[in-house]
Amino acid sequence: MKTIIAACSQNLSGSRASIQTALRTLLAVPWPSKRDVSSALQLLAVLQWVLSFLLLGIASLLLLVYLLFTSLWLIPVLYVAWIIFDWDTPEKGGRRLPCLRRWTVWKHFRDYFPVKLVKTHDLSPSHNYIIGSHPHGILCVGAFCNFITGSTGFEELFPGIHSFLTTLAGNFRLPVFREYLMSGGLFPVTRRAIGYLLSQKGTGNAVAIVIGGAAESLSCRPGVTTLILKNRKGFVRMALRHGAFLVPSFSFGENDLFRQVVFEEGSWMRSIQRRFQKMIGFAPCLFYGRGLTSCRSRGFLPYARPITTVVGEPVAVPKVENPSRELVDRYHELYIRALLKLFNENKTKYGLSESDELHIL
């Protein structure tokens, strides 16, 4: 009996020693610093945004199709009925949720790059505006962060001005994804949707349009500043019809977030990209960024490069219900001049050299 008691005491003593050793080892491990925690939160914020824009629509569609063949078939049926009933809402003001604009996650998203908004001139709340956002880049990070989230202080820099951002109309045909886009304040880049924002919601509205679109994303790469703008005049016609002032903006650093395999004009891969662009509204790009675990590995996350979006001087536009081609051309030229002025005055401040030029195609 004494032998058994002694053995048990020895085992208990050993267990206590093991626990104490484990605790000492645990306490000796350095806790993550505030900077490490902040970096992790920034990475997660960017990850959720990229996954939402790249996968949410397709994943939701596949899920609804799958549920049709299960006992939960009523859910996709009711949701499709709701979409049919709600079909025109994206073009009639949407369902913006102000609380979504104030999410803390967007501050972590902003700080990952970081993204900064620079004001050069005041915007009067007594007018409406069409803001041209350049360049497109791969995922329009600068436009999203500045005109959709409140993280860079747009409404503080421009009191009385409410910003909106347009995107491909096809995105609003994807289930669940359409609700996500509308809740954030995004609208289809259609005449009807833009006209509603400029005519039915009073004044003090600024509709941001990424004018270069999918075609411009094909030439997106570091060190190249090429815009598709010369024949893009629909936004000028809309501005004239509604008397909305034209405002150029440029996101310096947008083209540095990803690396893209650029195919030369005339190659068969380029022609495939063009065909896809015409059929589905966007061009499939072969691009890569950093990996999830290391900035040295390749993945689908953008590189942490600073983005500075500079909002330029507004071009005053009269209200003309049926503007002539000559009038459209005139204000289109005035807009290009304002954009070139904005670019040249700020390029050396935000990472470019004096010799860098803005190429407009």
Side-chain angles (χ1 to χ4, degrees), residues 222-292:
V224 176
T225 312
T226 301
L227 304 183
I228 305 298
L229 179 59
K230 190 171 291 185
N231 295 317
R232 300 290 175 99
K233 301 179 181 179
F235 73 102
V236 178
R237 189 176 298 277
M238 288 294 296
L240 285 164
R241 284 177 176 172
H242 298 281
F245 288 14
L246 291 168
V247 183
S249 73
F250 196 93
S251 293
F252 293 92
E254 182 74 46
N255 284 350
D256 298 331
L257 304 183
F258 293 95
R259 303 290 183 268
Q260 181 181 183
V261 179
V262 178
F263 300 101
E264 298 298 328
E265 290 292 344
S267 65
W268 64 275
M269 280 298 295
R270 190 71 161 192
S271 63
I272 290 176
Q273 288 178 316
R274 295 292 188 193
R275 288 176 185 174
F276 265 91
Q277 178 191 333
K278 291 180 180 179
M279 288 189 296
I280 59 180
F282 68 91
C285 303
L286 296 179
F287 66 90
Y288 66 88
R290 59 157 290 177
L292 181 60

Side-chain angles (χ1 to χ4, degrees), residues 16 26 74 91 114 133 164 183 191 224 251-252 305 314 333:
R16 291 194 199 97
L26 182 63
L74 189 59
E91 294 186 320
S133 180
F164 306 91
S183 65
R191 293 179 182 177
V224 176
S251 293
F252 293 92
R305 302 286 187 269
E333 181 61 31

Side-chain angles (χ1 to χ4, degrees), residues 48 100-101 103-110 144 149 151:
Q48 65 82 25
L100 205 65
R101 187 182 180 91
W103 268 6
T104 303
V105 69
W106 301 132
K107 294 181 180 179
H108 297 303
F109 179 86
R110 172 201 65 195
F144 176 86
T149 80
S151 61

Side-chain angles (χ1 to χ4, degrees), residues 161-179:
I161 304 296
H162 306 288
S163 61
F164 306 91
L165 180 63
T166 58
T167 185
L168 288 174
N171 289 329
F172 294 88
R173 298 185 179 94
L174 293 172
V176 181
F177 191 45
R178 70 190 293 272
E179 321 299 341

Side-chain angles (χ1 to χ4, degrees), residues 10 13 21 23 45 65 89 126 159 174 179 196 219 240 242 258 260 262 282 304 355:
Q10 188 175 0
S13 299
T21 303
L23 287 173
V65 172
T89 298
S126 61
L174 293 172
E179 321 299 341
Y196 185 95
S219 59
L240 285 164
H242 298 281
F258 293 95
Q260 181 181 183
V262 178
F282 68 91
S355 60

